C-alpha cells in the first residue's frame, strides 16, 4: 500500500464552533479496498505546501461537496447558487492544476468533477433547474446508495472500458453540472435529459470525473468499486 491517494475534505464546523475538516468514510474505505493508502487533505492554500503534496501524492481524489464559486468560471452568482466554501475552492483549484501539470491521476466525484472542469477551462450550470429546460430530478430524495436515474456510457471511453458501454443506473445528489466541457476533455456518460454525468481527459494518463457518488454505492453494487480500482491501478508507485 505505497500509493498515496490524497482525498480532499469538506469544511466542517462543530456545535462548539470549532472549524475543521470532514471526509466520508466511504471514500477512504474504497481507496483501501483498491490497494491505495488514503490521506485526507487539510484545508491549506499555501502554494509551496500544495506543490510539495502534489510531488509526494500518487493520485488525487476530488470528493463531493457544496458549490464552487462561479468566479472560477467567470460568472457572477445567480440566486439559486448554494453554499460556497472559499478556502476549499482555492485549495482544490490549486491542487487540481498541480496534478494536471504533473500528469498525475485524478478521480473526481460530483463537486470534484465540477471543480476539475472549471480548473481545466470549462463552465458549470450554477443550478440545473434554473438554467436547463426539462431536467430530471438530480437531487434524489432516497438513500445514498439508491440508483435513481439512468446514464448512457459512451463507447470507446475509459469509462466504457471500466463499466462497459450501455446504460446503467446511478445515484444523484447534485443541482449543478458541467455546462461547457473543458478543452481536451470528452463526455463519457449522459443522463436522458442531456445532463453530462461523466467526462475524462484525452490528454492525461488518467483524469476521470463522474457526477454521481460511486463511494456510496460500491458496498451494495460491486461494479462501482471498479472506478476506484481503475483509478488506484493507474497511480504509479514511486
Ligand atoms: Mn444526476
Amino acid at each position: 500500500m505505497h500509493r498515496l491517494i490524497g482525498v480532499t475534505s469538506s469544511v466542517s464546523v462543530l456545535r462548539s464552533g470549532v472549524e475543521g475538516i470532514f471526509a466520508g468514510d466511504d471514500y477512504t474505505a474504497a481507496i483501501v479496498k483498491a490497494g491505495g493508502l488514503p490521506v485526507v487533505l487539510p484545508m491549506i492554500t499555501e502554494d509551496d505546501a500544495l506543490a510539495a503534496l502534489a510531488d509526494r501524492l500518487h493520485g488525487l481524489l476530488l470528493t463531493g461537496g457544496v458549490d464552487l464559486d462561479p468566479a472560477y468560471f467567470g460568472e457572477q452568482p445567480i440566486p439559486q447558487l448554494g453554499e460556497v466554501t472559499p478556502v476549499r475552492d482555492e485549495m482544490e483549484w490549486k491542487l487540481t492544476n498541480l496534478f494536471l501539470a504533473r500528469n498525475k491521476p485524478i478521480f473526481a466525484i460530483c463537486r470534484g468533477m465540477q471543480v476539475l472542469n472549471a480548473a481545466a477551462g470549462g463552465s458549470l450550470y450554477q443550478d440545473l433547474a434554473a438554467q436547463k429546460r426539462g431536467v430530471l430530478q438530480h437531487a434524489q430524495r432516497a438513500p445514498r446508495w439508491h440508483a435513481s436515474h439512468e446514464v448512457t456510457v459512451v463507447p470507446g471511453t475509459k469509462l466504457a472500458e471500466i463499466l462497459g458501454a450501455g446504460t446503467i443506473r446511478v445515484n444523484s445528489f447534485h443541482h449543478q453540472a458541467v455546462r461547457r466541457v473543458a478543452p481536451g476533455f470528452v463526455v463519457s456518460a449522459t443522463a436522458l435529459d442531456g445532463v453530462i454525468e461523466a467526462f475524462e481527459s484525452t490528454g492525461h494518463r488518467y483524469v476521470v470525473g463522474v457526477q454521481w457518488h460511486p463511494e456510496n454505492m460500491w458496498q451494495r453494487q460491486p461494479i462501482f468499486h471498479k472506478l476506484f480500482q481503475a483509478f488506484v491501478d493507474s497511480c504509479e508507485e514511486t
Side-chain angles (χ1 to χ4, degrees), residues 138 149 172 174 197:
H138 287 275
H149 72 67
S172 196
H174 59 110
E197 288 277 340

Side-chain angles (χ1 to χ4, degrees), residues 17-231:
V18 174
E19 190 167 314
I21 60 168
F22 173 86
D25 292 342
D26 286 348
Y27 293 112
T28 48
I31 296 297
V32 170
K33 184 177 164 64
L37 193 57
V39 182
V40 177
L41 301 178
M43 214 61 76
I44 56 173
T45 56
E46 288 80 357
D47 291 332
D48 52 348
L50 292 175
L53 274 176
D55 287 339
R56 283 167 176 78
L57 295 169
H58 301 105
L60 177 65
L61 179 62
L62 290 170
T63 58
V66 298
D67 293 357
L68 177 68
D69 183 339
Y72 283 98
F73 47 97
E75 293 184 12
Q76 298 289 304
I78 66 168
Q80 294 83 358
L81 180 71
E83 184 188 354
V84 167
T85 46
V87 178
R88 181 180 187 187
D89 288 352
E90 184 181 348
M91 185 276 186
E92 290 186 336
W93 177 268
K94 288 179 173 176
L95 204 52
T96 299
N97 280 301
L98 289 164
F99 267 74
L100 290 173
R102 284 163 174 73
N103 196 14
K104 284 187 167 183
I106 300 174
F107 182 32
I109 292 176
C110 198
R111 165 195 160 90
M113 173 174 172
Q114 296 160 10
V115 170
L116 172 61
N117 186 55
S123 72
L124 306 179
Y125 290 106
Q126 293 187 41
D127 182 71
L128 278 173
Q131 295 181 313
K132 186 170 167 62
R133 272 173 195 273
V135 288
L136 298 166
Q137 185 194 64
H138 287 275
Q140 72 186 48
R141 295 187 284 271
R144 298 286 303 184
W145 48 263
H146 176 66
S148 66
H149 72 67
E150 292 182 347
V151 300
T152 303
V153 178
V154 178
T157 58
K158 280 193 179 76
L159 192 73
E161 269 174 48
I162 298 164
L163 296 179
T167 298
I168 51 166
R169 292 185 75 88
V170 300
N171 59 3
S172 196
F173 295 94
H174 59 110
H175 79 108
Q176 301 198 311
V178 168
R179 190 169 195 168
R180 187 183 69 248
V181 177
F185 281 71
V186 293
V187 172
S188 55
T190 52
L192 293 178
D193 56 8
V195 169
I196 295 170
E197 288 277 340
F199 77 159
E200 58 195 50
S201 169
T202 56
H204 294 88
R205 189 149 50 93
Y206 193 92
V207 175
V208 170
V210 298
Q211 188 56 68
W212 66 92
H213 282 273
E215 80 281 6
N216 299 135
M217 304 184 81
W218 64 266
Q219 296 92 335
R220 287 169 186 262
Q221 292 184 262
I223 187 174
F224 289 105
H225 191 265
K226 290 182 177 182
L227 291 164
F228 295 95
Q229 192 67 61
F231 164 56

